[in-house]
C-alpha cells in the first residue's frame, strides 16, 4: 500500500510538470512545434496584445459638399472602398442632413445613441473634450495610441507641437486628428485682384491701406474694363472673411475677435485700432469703392460680377477663387487675369502684422465613443491612414486611376486635373479626402498640384508673408466656463454683426464708436476675455 501511494504521487507530479511545460510556465513563452514563440498564444510582459481590424464599424461624419455633389455616402469614396479591401472592415456611415450638422450632433450625444466613431470639429463642442470624456461619451486614447497606433504615435513623437495641440487641458488625447503636415498648407485665402486691370492702368500691386485707396479709386474712375461705362465695382467686402483677417483689418494688428499680444488676450472690436478700420471702410463705402451689395449671399451674383468684368478685387481661395475663375474665363478672349495681393500693412515696407494662417490642427478629427465594443481594433483601423500607404490612399486615391507615381512623386492623373465634367475638387473627392479633411495627415504635394497655376502658387507665397504671432491657438473654455462664455458671446456677436455693417454703410456715425464699446463691455466681454486668457494659459502650460 505504501509503495502504491508513492507511485501514485509520482504519477500526479509527473502530470503536473507536464502541464506546466505545455503552458509555458515560469515566464517562458509558449512554443510551436519548431520551438519558436507563438505570439497568438502568449504575450511578453509589457508588450501590447496583438489585435486585428474590426469586422464592422458605425461611423458618423458630415459628408463634404465636394463629395456629396456626386456621391450619396462616404462609403462610395474610392479610398474607403480600398481600405475595406485591405482591412476587411465594413463601415456603415451615418451622415447628418446638410445644414443641420451641429443640431444632429447635439441630439445624438444627448440621446446617448452613439455610433462607434464620430468625426467632428471638437473645438466647437460645449464644455470641450474633457467633458465628453468625463460624462462617458468619448474614451481617452493616450494609452491605446501608444499600444495600437504606431503610425500616429510616430507622427506625434516627431512633432511634439502636434501632440500638444491634440491633448486636452486635462491631459487627454481624444481624437485621431486631421493634421496639415506642412506650413504651405496653412494659408489658402486672401485678397485677390484683377492683375490685368492693374497692368492696363499702369498701377503697381497695392501693399498698404493708402495704396489700396489709390488703386480702388482708379478702378472706379478710369474704366479698366474698357467698355466706356462707369460700371466697375472696385471692391467686394465679404463680411464672413473679416473674421479671418483676410480683408484689411489685419493691417492694424488686430482681429475682429480674440487675439494675443505677448500672451495677453485682447478683444479686437473694442480696441482704438478698430475705430480706425471702421473709419477707413466707411470712407471707402461712401466713395463708392465698396460694392453696395456686399452683404448679399448670392454666389451666382458674385460669379456674374467677376466673369462680366465688373469687379476689381475680392477675398477668396486659391482653388474656388483664383483657379475656378481663371478656368471659367479660359478661352473667352480678353486679358482676364487674377493675382493674390499681399497682406496689407499700414506702412510701406513693413511685414504685415496679420494674414490668414490656419493651425495645423483645428479641432477636427475622429473620436471613439464609449459604445464601441472593440476600441483596440478601431484604433488600429484608424491608424492605417497615418502610415505611408494610408497617407497615399487618402491624399491621392487609387494608384493607376487618380494618380501615378512619377519619379517618386504621386502625380494626379487627368481623371482629376482635367476631368471632362467635374471641377478638380469634386473629381478628387470621388477618390480621396485631401481636398477637405479627415483623420489623416494632409500632404503638401496635394496642394502643389491642386493650386498648380502660376497665379495660385504666387498667391500662396504672397499670403504666407505675415507675422501672425498674434493669432490664437485652438483653445476652448472648460466645462465650468463654457455656459457663461457662450451666453456672453452669443449676445456680443449678434450686436457686433449688426453694428459692423451700420458703421461701414454710414447708418451709424463713427462718433458712436465709444458707445458701441461700452455696450459690448456691458454684455460681459471683459469676463469673456478672462475666460479666453485662462484657456490660453492652460494651453501654454500643457
Amino acid at each position: 500500500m505504501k509503495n502504491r501511494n508513492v507511485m501514485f504521487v509520482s504519477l500526479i507530479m509527473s502530470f503536473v510538470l507536464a502541464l506546466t511545460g505545455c503552458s509555458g510556465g515560469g515566464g517562458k513563452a509558449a512554443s510551436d512545434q519548431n520551438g519558436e514563440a507563438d505570439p497568438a498564444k502568449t504575450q511578453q510582459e509589457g508588450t501590447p496584445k496583438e489585435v486585428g481590424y474590426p469586422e464592422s464599424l458605425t461611423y458618423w461624419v458630415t459628408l463634404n459638399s465636394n463629395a456629396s455633389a456626386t456621391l450619396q455616402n462616404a462609403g462610395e469614396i474610392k479610398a474607403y472602398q480600398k481600405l475595406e479591401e485591405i482591412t476587411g472592415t465594413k463601415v456603415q456611415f451615418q451622415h447628418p442632413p446638410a445644414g443641420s450638422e451641429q443640431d444632429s450632433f447635439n441630439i445624438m450625444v444627448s440621446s446617448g445613441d452613439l455610433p462607434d466613431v464620430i468625426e467632428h470639429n471638437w473645438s466647437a463642442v460645449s464644455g470641450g473634450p474633457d467633458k465628453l470624456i468625463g460624462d462617458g461619451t468619448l474614451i481617452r486614447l493616450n494609452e491605446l495610441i501608444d499600444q495600437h497606433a504606431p503610425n500616429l504615435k510616430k507622427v506625434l513623437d516627431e512633432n511634439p507641437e502636434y501632440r500638444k495641440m491634440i491633448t486636452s487641458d486635462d491631459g487627454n488625447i481624444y481624437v485621431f486628428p486631421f493634421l496639415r503636415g506642412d506650413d504651405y498648407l496653412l494659408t489658402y485665402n486672401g485678397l485677390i485682384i484683377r492683375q490685368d486691370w492693374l497692368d492696363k492702368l499702369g498701377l503697381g500691386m497695392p501693399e498698404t491701406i493708402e495704396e489700396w485707396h489709390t488703386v480702388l479709386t482708379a478702378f472706379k474712375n478710369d474704366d479698366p474694363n474698357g467698355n466706356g461705362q462707369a460700371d466697375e465695382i472696385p471692391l467686394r467686402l465679404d463680411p464672413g472673411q473679416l473674421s479671418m483677417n483676410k480683408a484689411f483689418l489685419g493691417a492694424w494688428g488686430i482681429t475682429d475677435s480674440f487675439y494675443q499680444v505677448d500672451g495677453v488676450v485682447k478683444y479686437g472690436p473694442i480696441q482704438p485700432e478698430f475705430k480706425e478700420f471702421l473709419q477707413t471702410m466707411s470712407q471707402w463705402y461712401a466713395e463708392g469703392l465698396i460694392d453696395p451689395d456686399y452683404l448679399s449671399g448670392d454666389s451666382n451674383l458674385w460669379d456674374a460680377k467677376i466673369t462680366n468684368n465688373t469687379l476689381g478685387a475680392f477675398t477668396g481661395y486659391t482653388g474656388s477663387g483664383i483657379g475656378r475663375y481663371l478656368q471659367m474665363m479660359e478661352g473667352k478672349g480678353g486679358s482676364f487675369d487674377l493675382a493674390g495681393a499681399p497682406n496689407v500693412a499700414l506702412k510701406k515696407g513693413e511685414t504685415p502684422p496679420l494674414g490668414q494662417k490656419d493651425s495645423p490642427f483645428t479641432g477636427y478629427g475622429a473620436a471613439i465613443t464609449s459604445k464601441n465594443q472593440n476600441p483596440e481594433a478601431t484604433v488600429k483601423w484608424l491608424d492605417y491612414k497615418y502610415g505611408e500607404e494610408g497617407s497615399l490612399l487618402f491624399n491621392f486615391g487609387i494608384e493607376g486611376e487618380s494618380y501615378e507615381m512619377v519619379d517618386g512623386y504621386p502625380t494626379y492623373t487627368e481623371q482629376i486635373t482635367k476631368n471632362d465634367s467635374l471641377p478638380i475638387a469634386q473629381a478628387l473627392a470621388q477618390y480621396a479626402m485631401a481636398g477637405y479633411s479627415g483623420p489623416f495627415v494632409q500632404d503638401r504635394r496635394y496642394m502643389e498640384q491642386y493650386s498648380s497655376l502660376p497665379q495660385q502658387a504666387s498667391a500662396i507665397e504672397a499670403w504666407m508673408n505675415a507675422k501672425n504671432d498674434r493669432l490664437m491657438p485652438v483653445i476652448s473654455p472648460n466645462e465650468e466656463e463654457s455656459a457663461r462664455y457662450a451666453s456672453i458671446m452669443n449676445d456680443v456677436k449678434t450686436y457686433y454683426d449688426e453694428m459692423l455693417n451700420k458703421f461701414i454703410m454710414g447708418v451709424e456715425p463713427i462718433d458712436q464708436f465709444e458707445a458701441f464699446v461700452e455696450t459690448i463691455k456691458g454684455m460681459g466681454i471683459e469676463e469673456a476675455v478672462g475666460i479666453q486668457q485662462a484657456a490660453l494659459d492652460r494651453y501654454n502650460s500643457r
Side-chain angles (χ1 to χ4, degrees), residues 260-424:
Q260 60 170 321
V261 180
D262 298 326
V264 178
V265 176
K266 298 178 180 292
Y267 182 67
I270 63 174
Q271 305 305 317
E273 294 86 352
F274 197 75
K275 182 178 182 180
E276 297 176 25
F277 162 75
L278 291 175
Q279 287 173 323
T280 300
M281 295 299 106
S282 179
Q283 176 192 339
W284 290 6
Y285 188 86
E287 294 176 0
L289 305 183
I290 296 174
D291 192 330
D293 295 329
Y294 79 88
L295 287 178
S296 172
D298 186 351
S299 60
N300 293 326
L301 174 65
W302 304 121
D303 287 351
K305 290 186 178 185
I306 293 170
T307 57
N308 290 336
N309 287 314
T310 57
L311 184 59
F314 56 99
T315 54
Y317 296 86
T318 52
S320 61
I322 293 175
R324 178 166 168 264
Y325 289 122
L326 287 174
Q327 183 181 29
M328 290 172 69
M329 297 300 287
E330 187 177 3
K332 293 188 177 181
S335 57
F336 183 91
D337 196 14
L338 297 173
N343 296 306
V344 186
L346 294 181
K347 296 180 181 179
K348 186 75 171 178
E350 73 175 8
T351 301
L354 289 168
Q356 183 269 320
K357 183 179 181 181
D358 224 337
S359 170
F361 174 65
T362 59
Y364 194 89
I368 299 176
T369 75
S370 59
K371 295 298 178 70
N372 190 306
Q373 297 298 305
N374 200 352
E376 294 90 351
T378 304
V379 164
K380 180 176 181 178
W381 181 81
L382 287 166
D383 185 60
Y384 181 84
K385 302 176 186 180
Y386 296 88
E388 183 176 355
E389 293 179 1
S391 179
L392 285 172
L393 182 59
F394 280 85
N395 278 286
F396 303 101
I398 308 300
E399 187 172 6
E401 295 184 32
S402 57
Y403 80 96
E404 298 281 3
M405 275 294 183
V406 180
D407 296 328
Y409 189 101
T411 304
Y412 291 123
T413 64
E414 292 189 355
Q415 173 72 14
I416 305 301
T417 59
K418 296 182 180 180
N419 193 289
D420 291 336
S421 58
L422 297 174
I424 185 172

Side-chain angles (χ1 to χ4, degrees), residues 244-266:
M244 299 177 77
N245 318 307
K246 302 182 187 79
F248 305 104
L249 179 57
W252 280 270
I254 65 173
T255 75
D256 78 336
S257 186
F258 299 97
Y259 66 101
Q260 60 170 321
V261 180
D262 298 326
V264 178
V265 176
K266 298 178 180 292

Side-chain angles (χ1 to χ4, degrees), residues 110-335:
S110 62
S111 70
D113 185 14
L114 302 171
D116 294 315
V117 179
I118 301 175
E119 186 178 318
H120 191 57
N121 183 1
W122 302 99
S123 66
V125 174
S126 178
D130 288 325
K131 177 181 183 298
L132 295 176
I133 291 174
D135 65 18
T137 299
L138 305 182
I139 65 171
R140 169 184 163 100
L141 299 175
N142 303 50
E143 294 76 19
L144 288 168
I145 289 173
D146 285 343
Q147 295 174 6
H148 304 295
N151 296 316
L152 177 57
K153 185 177 187 301
K154 183 174 184 290
V155 171
L156 300 180
D157 288 345
E158 293 176 352
N159 302 273
E161 70 278 14
Y162 293 170
R163 185 181 293 274
K164 179 178 179 179
M165 291 174 186
I166 71 169
T167 302
S168 72
D169 292 335
D170 288 349
N172 297 312
I173 295 177
Y174 58 96
V175 69
F176 275 75
F178 173 62
L179 294 168
R180 294 189 172 95
D182 192 281
D183 280 352
Y184 191 76
L185 297 165
L186 305 182
T187 299
Y188 43 80
N189 187 298
L191 281 159
I192 300 171
I193 196 166
R194 287 289 296 270
Q195 180 65 56
D196 55 316
W197 285 16
L198 291 175
D199 294 341
K200 182 175 182 178
L201 300 179
L203 298 169
M205 180 67 73
E207 298 177 359
T208 66
I209 293 293
E210 183 179 349
E211 289 177 352
W212 267 96
H213 183 259
T214 299
V215 165
L216 295 176
T217 301
F219 280 2
K220 181 178 187 295
N221 298 328
D222 297 345
D223 193 27
N225 67 12
N227 66 357
Q229 303 177 34
D231 59 350
E232 287 86 354
I233 302 166
L235 171 69
R236 184 215 172 182
L237 277 184
D238 185 341
Q241 306 291 3
L242 290 176
S243 63
M244 299 177 77
N245 318 307
K246 302 182 187 79
F248 305 104
L249 179 57
W252 280 270
I254 65 173
T255 75
D256 78 336
S257 186
F258 299 97
Y259 66 101
Q260 60 170 321
V261 180
D262 298 326
V264 178
V265 176
K266 298 178 180 292
Y267 182 67
I270 63 174
Q271 305 305 317
E273 294 86 352
F274 197 75
K275 182 178 182 180
E276 297 176 25
F277 162 75
L278 291 175
Q279 287 173 323
T280 300
M281 295 299 106
S282 179
Q283 176 192 339
W284 290 6
Y285 188 86
E287 294 176 0
L289 305 183
I290 296 174
D291 192 330
D293 295 329
Y294 79 88
L295 287 178
S296 172
D298 186 351
S299 60
N300 293 326
L301 174 65
W302 304 121
D303 287 351
K305 290 186 178 185
I306 293 170
T307 57
N308 290 336
N309 287 314
T310 57
L311 184 59
F314 56 99
T315 54
Y317 296 86
T318 52
S320 61
I322 293 175
R324 178 166 168 264
Y325 289 122
L326 287 174
Q327 183 181 29
M328 290 172 69
M329 297 300 287
E330 187 177 3
K332 293 188 177 181
S335 57

